[in-house]
Amino acid sequence: MKTVSRGEPMDATVLRELRAIVGADHVRHADGDVAAYARDATPLFSARPGAVVHPGSTEEVSAVLKLAGARSVPVVPRGAGSNLCAATVPLSGGIVLVLTRLDRILEISADELLAVCQPGVTTAELSGAVAAHGLLYAPDPGSRTVATIGGTIATCAGGLRGLKYGVTRNYVLGLQAVLATGEVVRTGGRLWKDVAGYDLTRLLTGSEGTLGVITEATVALTPAPEASGTGLAYFATLADAGRAVARIIGSGLLPATLEFLDARCIDAVESYARLGLRTDAGALLLFGDDGDASPVGRHLARMAELCLVEGALDATVAGAAAESEALLAARRCALPALSRLGSVTILEDASVPRPRIAEMVDRIDAIAGRHDLTIATFGHAGDGNLHPTCIVDAGDTDATERAHHAFGDIFRTAMELGGTITGEHGVGAAKLPYLTERLGAGQMALLRRIKAAFDPAGILNPGKLGS
């Protein structure tokens, strides 16, 4: 589970050429300057890059990649480094190519329901900018305040609105990307309907920087909903909450939000945020809707009613926007609340078919007991995406090793139940050991052939996905 490497020092000639391309102020190679780029938000993975380069344009990205290809230097594209799968850890050293200087929103078109932006724009910045035009950019990852558009496209990020609105790939209309050779390509465009040729936009989305470096994105928008609201229900068991989820969706309702916390998460969040949550409950279900004001109110009331039908201890609907935000805070602060319980927080994701969520959580609890660990689980009840979270102490190597084996058991259990090893975080270095089990040898071979077609020298994010 732990990858540590110092990496090779960057050749002095390459450093000079990099400075000539992007400017001396935008190239770093000293230990103190590159240390922060040896890791991302994923714990237990670290590898020192030879240099950190901050390009300011597509042309500079192209020139850097041409140089790297000629000198066989690995390049790892990076945004804010908020991913949770070690996707931007430079396992082979080389250049970490940080794209946060490319941070402009280039266009917002209300007529076409789209925006064009550079990869360093954060999700929250884009969402706020389009909201001023009465529009919505639907992808809503938990790290939206720092996660960049380029990073969320590279990992095909999900979020709390995934059930109703889908994930990042549903909103990427077109991309500008630089291939490993330095060639600049445009895929897709401004159209919602365009089936000319292979869908390279979808292929680049979720490719984790292994096929190309995204330097511009055209994304789809929707009209902003007139109103939104949130409700909360408590249950004695997660199985009861799971039945309520099935009842809600089976009734014809499609919630904008449908999230759950298990008992350990409820306790941690209440100790952390003092939101007045019931700590005698076995599970919490957060439900929400958006749209026209009148139907939203009716839908929320109906969801609360259906929760009570399925045995909820109680169910309430927020009466005001501030109260709704307080309820959403219960879900959004699950990770920081759990992180207080130890020095290392290992947050994972796995997905199972929605009817098997309760069974999966029970299996996670059994796995935690078998490995003598505490694992709390929260996640997206509407789409079956769970986030089992293990807290260990940094110096406890035995517990860290047990956690490694426990998560292997969790991923295999998810696959056994018809699910997958990752629903939204990505593969990166963290999930790579399990990818062949998920896809099979034939599909892995196909991934490697695709990788070779895009990156024949193998310089882009080596050691990930199709490498």
Side-chain angles (χ1 to χ4, degrees):
M1 182 170 266
K2 190 172 184 179
T3 302
V4 180
S5 170
R6 279 195 54 80
E8 294 294 324
M10 185 62 64
D11 179 84
T13 302
V14 174
L15 287 172
R16 283 196 300 272
E17 293 181 84
L18 288 170
R19 293 186 189 106
I21 293 168
V22 301
D25 291 343
H26 303 302
V27 178
R28 295 287 183 267
H29 67 95
D31 283 348
D33 292 332
V34 304
Y37 300 92
R39 57 167 297 172
D40 50 32
T42 318
L44 307 176
F45 287 85
S46 178
R48 186 195 187 279
V52 177
V53 177
H54 296 256
S57 68
T58 298
E59 292 73 22
E60 289 182 0
V61 171
S62 175
V64 169
L65 289 178
K66 287 177 182 176
L67 170 63
R71 299 301 185 90
S72 299
V73 177
V75 178
V76 178
R78 177 184 171 115
S82 59
N83 75 87
L84 292 164
C85 65
T88 54
V89 174
L91 300 179
S92 302
I95 297 168
V96 170
L97 193 67
V98 184
L99 299 161
T100 50
R101 286 181 64 209
L102 281 71
D103 60 356
R104 292 185 297 137
I105 297 174
L106 304 174
E107 180 185 359
I108 297 171
S109 173
D111 291 341
E112 295 177 88
L113 290 175
L114 62 81
V116 182
C117 69
Q118 294 181 313
V121 175
T122 69
T123 306
E125 287 168 345
L126 180 61
S127 296
V130 303
H133 295 260
L135 301 170
L136 174 71
Y137 179 62
D140 184 38
S143 57
R144 62 198 178 102
T145 57
V146 294
T148 63
I149 293 299
T152 58
I153 292 172
T155 56
C156 192
L160 272 64
R161 291 196 283 243
L163 173 62
K164 181 173 183 178
Y165 288 100
V167 296
T168 298
R169 66 169 170 260
N170 303 113
Y171 295 88
V172 183
L173 297 175
L175 294 172
Q176 177 178 267
V178 184
L179 305 184
T181 57
E183 177 186 0
V184 180
V185 298
R186 283 192 175 272
T187 70
R190 301 171 70 92
L191 305 176
W192 285 63
K193 296 172 71 175
D194 183 352
V195 294
Y198 293 135
D199 193 344
L200 298 180
T201 304
R202 278 287 184 103
L203 186 57
L204 288 167
T205 301
S207 64
E208 299 180 11
T210 62
L211 302 182
V213 180
I214 296 166
T215 57
E216 185 181 295
T218 302
V219 297
L221 309 174
T222 64
E226 176 186 320
S228 63
T230 309
L232 186 68
Y234 296 97
F235 295 86
T237 69
L238 193 57
D240 294 339
R243 285 192 293 271
V245 169
R247 174 82 70 158
I248 289 169
I249 294 175
S251 73
L253 296 173
L254 187 62
T257 304
L258 199 53
E259 303 286 306
F260 79 92
L261 278 67
D262 72 2
R264 291 187 182 91
C265 286
I266 296 171
D267 288 344
V269 168
E270 182 56 24
S271 296
Y272 171 69
R274 302 295 179 188
L275 298 172
L277 304 180
R278 284 185 60 162
T279 56
D280 62 336
L284 175 158
L285 188 66
L286 185 74
F287 54 89
D289 194 25
D290 61 15
D292 294 339
S294 178
V296 165
R298 291 198 307 271
H299 292 167
L300 291 172
R302 179 61 175 155
M303 290 181 212
E305 177 186 330
L306 293 172
C307 287
L308 293 170
V309 168
E310 290 298 338
L313 303 174
D314 65 60
T316 58
V317 174
E323 190 179 349
S324 281
E325 284 302 314
L327 294 182
L328 286 169
R331 167 61 178 84
R332 292 197 187 279
C333 73
L335 179 57
L338 290 168
S339 297
R340 298 170 68 237
L341 305 181
S343 55
V344 176
T345 305
I346 307 170
L347 169 64
E348 276 297 355
D349 88 310
S351 291
V352 295
R354 192 165 46 237
R356 310 200 77 168
I357 290 176
E359 180 182 358
M360 182 66 189
V361 174
D362 285 344
R363 297 278 292 272
I364 290 171
D365 288 344
I367 290 167
R370 192 159 65 244
H371 292 278
D372 191 24
L373 297 165
T374 297
I375 298 179
T377 306
F378 61 95
H380 313 294
D383 54 29
N385 187 206
L386 297 87
H387 295 306
T389 305
C390 183
I391 312 298
V392 297
D393 289 322
D396 192 340
T397 56
D398 182 61
T400 300
E401 186 65 19
R402 295 199 310 274
H404 170 70
H405 291 295
F407 279 113
D409 290 348
I410 287 170
F411 300 143
R412 292 183 184 96
T413 300
M415 289 186 279
E416 176 192 329
L417 297 180
T420 187
I421 60 174
T422 177
E424 60 183 7
H425 288 176
V427 176
K431 301 286 184 66
L432 194 61
Y434 313 100
L435 190 59
T436 298
E437 284 184 70
R438 172 67 183 95
L439 300 181
Q443 200 172 155
M444 287 297 296
L446 177 58
L447 259 62
R448 285 190 285 271
R449 293 198 296 272
I450 292 170
K451 165 71 171 174
F454 275 77
D455 178 16
I459 64 168
L460 283 176
N461 210 357
K464 317 284 175 56
L465 285 181
S467 300

